[in-house]
């Protein structure tokens, strides 16, 4: 088993059963049963193994007084070695208490039920060994090359840990056909993180909102009670409806309007199908008073335009001076660059994740803001006709080591490119076609006299476009020619999904479909 840095290391101790006891399988089984009864878990069990001289020296280097006797005894037979872990207690102390004193004579006086008191005969043949401290346990584990015991970490909801799926739900919400992912990505970095919180006022239907509000009130009451307990305030009973006088509340908490992940998990089965779809498909950005408001799409669009305006205005001031105030009024503030999902995944490919493939928000923030600087420079390069390589990176002014520029936790993190990803990204080439197509006549080396004209037309059709008016389309263009458009993956293509070419005669597609409908009628 290889070491996994994403898993959680367990505290452990090294344990050994010495040669005389190892020769008795029934005694070994009794010891294993007692170990399991004490709550210890056996890891990396090695049933039988003979020791080498170097291993004995490294294992008992503290016992120089009895080293010759220990060496003779430990090399006389096989031993059983394993690592022990405990879920709640210190395994070193638990195992030390189980085996008892080093001298079996003293062990029988202090704790007659200890393993050394039962199975040990002398201080040399005390039959069991255990680590004294974590440092010794690590050293002894390394002698026999045992891997470090690990476990899968418990999943905990943490808003500062963001998965790529959660981020994509915010960048590409199901209700928007063509969302500007880069503008939302910048808002996520500056005002984020986005969270899977849902407002009972904005996200749920009326019936499900009542369920959510009832759950939220219970959560708020428990928070008030816990705060009163911490402050030592006696919890007073709530007034009944008969008594109109309301008791003063010592602990004041703001109203809660958002259902967090833990709350949604508890009430999810009670929600309708539409609200369940909303909880599964959307993530939101918090805002407003006490962060109890979910920002709408219109608010996000307005915020993105204002962010772009401020940053472009600052860059224009440095280049054009006071003329920037006039120029900014004529500039379209929509982000000109567009990233696909593959490009966004490529942007974060060098970042580390936890066991559940979640990124640290601070790492994402540094990468996105650095990429935004590159995109803003490319935008300015188009606006003022200045070569992009002449825009200086302010992070390169101070001389810092290259390791710090590559570290996403450092303020000096820098991306080593000057162009946005959509101008440098290349899709993977298809090296093998899934189907075996017949050879094209245009690629044939030797042509017959009757094939030359047809091969020339095919080459022209491959590398050129034939532009004709819509009125002459039926006369000039063959019926086998179709109008194609580029369409990106997902629902966010670069063209309008519902665009079409409409003409007045039968040659246009739309008019032709209308004629077919009239003929059927």
């Amino acid at each position: 088993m290889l070491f996994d840095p994403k898993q959680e290391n367990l505290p452990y101790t090294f344990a050994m059963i010495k040669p005389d006891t190892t020769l008795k399988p029934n005694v070994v089984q009794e010891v294993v049963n007692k170990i399991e009864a004490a709550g210890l878990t056996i890891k990396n069990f090695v049933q039988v193994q003979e020791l080498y001289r170097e291993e004995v020296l490294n294992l008992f280097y503290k016992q120089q007084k009895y080293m010759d006797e220990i060496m003779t005894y430990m090399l006389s037979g096989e031993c059983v070695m394993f690592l022990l872990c405990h879920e709640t207690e210190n395994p070193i102390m638990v195992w030390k208490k189980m085996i008892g004193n080093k001298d079996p004579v003293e062990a029988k006086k202090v704790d007659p039920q200890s393993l050394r008191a039962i199975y040990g005969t002398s201080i040399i043949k005390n039959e069991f060994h255990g680590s004294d401290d974590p440092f010794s346990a690590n050293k002894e584990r390394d002698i026999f090359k045992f891997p470090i015991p690990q476990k899968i970490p418990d999943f905990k909801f943490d808003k500062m840990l963001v998965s790529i799926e959660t981020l994509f739900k915010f960048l590409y919400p199901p209700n928007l056909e063509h969302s500007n992912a880069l503008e939302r990505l910048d808002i996520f970095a500056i005002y984020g993180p986005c969270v899977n919180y849902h407002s009972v006022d904005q996200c749920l239907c009326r019936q499900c909102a009542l369920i959510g509000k009832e759950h939220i009130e219970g959560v708020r009451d428990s928070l008030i009670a816990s705060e009163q307990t911490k402050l030592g305030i006696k919890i007073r009973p709530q007034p009944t409806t008969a008594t109109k006088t309301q008791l003063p509340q010592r602990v004041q908490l703001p109203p809660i309007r958002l259902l967090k992940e833990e709350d949604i998990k508890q009430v999810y089965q009670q929600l309708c199908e539409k609200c369940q779809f909303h909880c599964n498909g959307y993530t939101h950005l918090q805002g407003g008073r006490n962060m109890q408001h979910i920002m709408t799409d219109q608010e996000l669009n307005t915020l993105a335009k204002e962010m772009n305006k401020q940053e472009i205005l600052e860059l224009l001031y440095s280049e054009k001076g006071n003329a920037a105030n006039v120029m900014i009024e004529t500039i379209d503030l929509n982000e000109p660059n567009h990233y696909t999902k593959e490009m966004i995944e490529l942007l974060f490919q060098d970042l580390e994740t936890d066991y559940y493939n979640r990124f640290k928000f601070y790492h994402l923030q540094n990468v996105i803001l650095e990429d935004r600087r590159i995109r803003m420079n490319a935008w300015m390069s188009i606006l003022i006709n200045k070569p992009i390589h002449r825009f200086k990176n302010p992070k390169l002014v101070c001389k810092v080591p290259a390791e710090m520029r590559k570290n996403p936790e450092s303020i000096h993190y820098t991306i080593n490119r000057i162009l946005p990803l959509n101008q440098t990204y290349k899709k993977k080439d298809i090296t093998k076609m899934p189907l075996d197509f017949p050879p094209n006549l245009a690629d044939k080396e030797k042509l017959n006299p009757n094939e030359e004209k047809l091969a020339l037309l095919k080459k022209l059709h491959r590398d050129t476009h034939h532009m004709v008016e819509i009125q002459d389309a039926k006369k000039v263009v063959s019926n086998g020619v179709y109008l194609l458009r580029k369409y990106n993956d997902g629902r966010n293509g670069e063209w309008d999904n519902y665009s079409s070419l409409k003409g007045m005669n039968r040659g246009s597609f739309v008019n032709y479909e209308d004629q077919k409908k009239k003929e059927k009628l």
Side-chain angles (χ1 to χ4, degrees):
M1 183 176 62
L2 299 178
F3 177 76
D4 187 358
K6 296 182 180 181
Q7 293 193 17
E8 183 179 343
N9 294 342
L10 295 173
Y12 61 90
T13 183
F14 176 80
M16 174 185 284
I17 302 177
K18 295 183 180 179
D20 285 357
T21 305
T22 304
L23 293 174
K24 305 171 184 177
N26 57 335
V27 176
V28 173
Q29 187 59 46
E30 289 178 7
V31 173
V32 170
N33 294 338
K34 291 182 178 180
I35 289 173
E36 294 175 349
L40 291 167
T41 305
I42 299 176
K43 303 285 185 179
N44 306 319
F45 189 86
V46 178
Q47 191 167 6
V48 174
Q49 180 176 327
E50 294 183 358
L51 301 183
Y52 295 101
R53 183 180 180 86
E54 293 78 8
E55 294 174 341
V56 177
L57 289 173
N58 290 328
L59 195 59
F60 299 99
Y61 68 96
K62 294 181 180 180
Q63 309 294 334
Q64 295 296 327
K65 183 178 179 180
Y66 307 101
M67 182 55 69
D68 294 337
E69 293 87 346
I70 292 174
M71 182 68 68
T72 303
Y73 176 60
M74 297 303 296
L75 296 179
S76 64
E78 298 171 334
C79 300
V80 176
M81 293 153 292
F82 43 82
L83 299 181
L84 296 176
C85 300
H86 200 284
E87 292 184 359
T88 57
E89 300 181 25
N90 186 353
I92 296 176
M93 302 306 297
V94 174
W95 177 241
K96 277 290 186 183
K97 185 178 180 180
M98 282 188 64
I99 61 179
N101 194 283
K102 291 182 180 181
D103 190 352
V105 178
E106 294 294 328
K108 291 177 182 179
K109 296 179 182 178
V110 178
D111 186 5
Q113 299 301 320
S114 63
L115 297 179
R116 283 172 175 167
I118 299 173
Y119 303 107
T121 58
S122 66
I123 195 170
I124 303 299
K125 298 184 179 182
N126 55 16
E127 296 310 310
F128 298 96
H129 172 75
S131 305
D132 296 327
D133 49 59
F135 177 79
S136 301
N138 187 49
K139 182 177 182 297
E140 292 166 0
R141 175 197 61 79
D142 195 49
I143 293 173
F144 299 98
K145 297 180 174 56
F146 285 154
I148 298 176
Q150 294 180 303
K151 73 170 185 176
I152 297 175
D154 297 331
F155 182 83
K156 296 179 181 179
F157 291 110
D158 190 347
K159 65 186 297 184
M160 302 307 291
L161 295 175
V162 184
S163 66
I164 195 69
E165 292 80 10
T166 301
L167 180 59
F168 281 161
K169 289 178 184 178
F170 178 70
L171 301 183
Y172 305 100
N175 65 312
L176 296 182
E177 185 71 26
H178 299 288
S179 65
N180 196 323
L182 281 182
E183 290 182 350
R184 286 176 166 258
L185 192 66
D186 295 338
I187 294 174
F188 164 81
I190 298 174
Y191 299 99
C194 59
V195 289
N196 193 21
Y197 296 177
H198 300 280
S199 172
V200 293
D201 302 317
Q202 300 172 254
C203 302
L204 304 181
C205 65
R206 180 177 298 179
Q207 185 177 358
C208 295
L210 294 176
I211 298 173
K213 289 177 182 178
E214 182 180 356
H215 178 80
I216 285 174
E217 286 300 321
V219 172
R220 188 171 181 272
D221 292 341
S222 62
L223 290 176
I224 292 175
S226 62
E227 287 295 326
Q228 288 177 337
T229 304
K230 289 180 183 179
L231 297 174
I233 302 173
K234 187 177 180 181
I235 302 177
R236 301 178 181 180
Q238 293 292 333
T240 60
T241 55
T243 59
K244 297 183 179 180
T245 58
Q246 188 171 3
L247 296 176
Q249 195 173 19
R250 298 286 297 276
V251 177
Q252 297 292 336
L253 287 181
I256 303 174
R257 312 307 299 168
L258 298 184
L259 288 169
K260 298 183 179 181
E261 287 105 332
E262 301 91 337
D263 305 323
I264 295 171
K265 186 177 180 181
Q266 297 181 26
V267 302
Y268 182 79
Q269 297 299 332
Q270 304 177 39
L271 302 179
C272 66
E273 184 177 354
K274 183 178 179 181
C275 293
Q276 287 181 355
F277 172 78
H278 181 91
C279 294
N280 293 331
Y282 290 83
T283 55
H284 301 289
L285 195 69
Q286 295 173 269
R289 186 177 181 182
N290 298 318
M291 303 298 287
Q292 295 297 312
H293 171 69
I294 295 299
M295 298 190 68
T296 63
D297 296 331
Q298 185 176 1
E299 291 172 338
L300 292 175
N301 292 335
T302 305
L303 180 60
K305 302 299 182 295
E306 189 63 28
M307 286 168 46
N308 293 340
K309 180 178 180 180
Q310 293 297 329
E311 189 151 353
I312 290 295
L313 189 60
E314 290 179 6
L315 294 174
L316 284 175
Y317 269 127
S318 61
E319 298 291 338
K320 298 296 184 180
N322 294 331
N325 293 324
V326 179
M327 294 180 64
I328 196 66
E329 300 298 331
T330 62
I331 295 174
D332 183 9
L333 296 175
N334 291 309
E335 174 76 38
N337 299 295
H338 298 280
Y339 281 8
T340 62
K341 289 185 178 181
E342 292 80 6
M343 296 177 189
I344 295 175
E345 290 177 348
L346 181 64
L347 187 64
F348 304 137
Q349 67 176 356
D350 296 330
L351 298 182
E352 295 181 355
T353 60
D354 66 354
Y355 183 82
Y356 297 98
N357 295 323
R358 296 180 296 178
F359 298 96
K360 292 182 179 179
F361 171 70
Y362 183 67
H363 293 177
L364 295 176
Q365 188 179 44
N366 278 351
V367 174
I368 294 170
L369 293 180
E370 176 64 8
D371 183 71
R372 176 176 171 81
R373 179 191 63 80
I374 295 172
R375 289 186 275 111
M376 290 296 110
N377 288 346
W379 193 355
M380 277 295 298
S381 175
I382 299 173
L383 293 176
I384 63 176
N385 294 323
K386 179 179 178 180
I388 195 170
H389 64 269
R390 292 180 59 185
F391 287 89
K392 302 297 182 183
N393 186 351
K395 295 185 179 182
L396 299 181
V397 176
C398 55
K399 296 182 179 180
V400 296
E403 292 77 11
M404 294 185 66
R405 294 199 185 112
K406 296 179 181 179
N407 184 10
E409 294 186 355
S410 172
I411 60 174
H412 303 290
Y413 175 77
T414 308
I415 297 178
N416 294 324
R417 55 180 166 83
I418 61 174
L419 293 174
L421 271 178
N422 60 326
Q423 299 182 26
T424 59
Y425 175 74
K426 292 183 179 180
K427 290 188 176 181
K428 295 181 180 180
D429 296 332
I430 301 176
T431 57
K432 184 178 179 180
M433 298 296 294
L435 299 174
D436 294 329
F437 293 101
N440 196 333
L441 182 64
D443 300 326
K444 191 175 179 181
E445 295 182 357
K446 293 183 179 181
L447 298 171
N448 296 327
N450 58 343
E451 296 176 339
E452 293 179 355
K453 186 176 180 180
L454 182 59
L456 179 60
L457 291 175
K458 285 183 175 291
K459 288 182 179 180
L460 290 174
H461 180 72
R462 176 192 294 175
D463 301 324
T464 62
H465 298 280
H466 191 182
M467 305 294 293
V468 295
E469 294 184 2
I470 189 64
Q471 289 80 2
D472 301 329
K474 189 175 181 180
K475 301 178 182 178
V476 181
V477 183
S478 171
N479 292 331
V481 178
Y482 296 93
L483 178 65
L484 303 178
R485 64 181 176 87
K486 182 181 178 182
Y487 189 65
N488 287 341
D489 298 334
R491 304 182 66 189
N492 302 280
E494 291 185 357
W495 288 33
D496 186 359
N497 282 5
Y498 309 106
S499 64
S500 60
L501 183 61
K502 186 174 182 179
M504 299 302 296
N505 62 354
R506 190 180 178 85
S508 68
F509 176 79
V510 176
N511 189 50
Y512 180 65
E513 291 295 323
D514 293 340
Q515 291 291 337
K516 288 176 64 178
K517 292 180 181 178
K518 291 179 181 179
E519 290 175 2
K520 290 181 179 179
L521 295 175

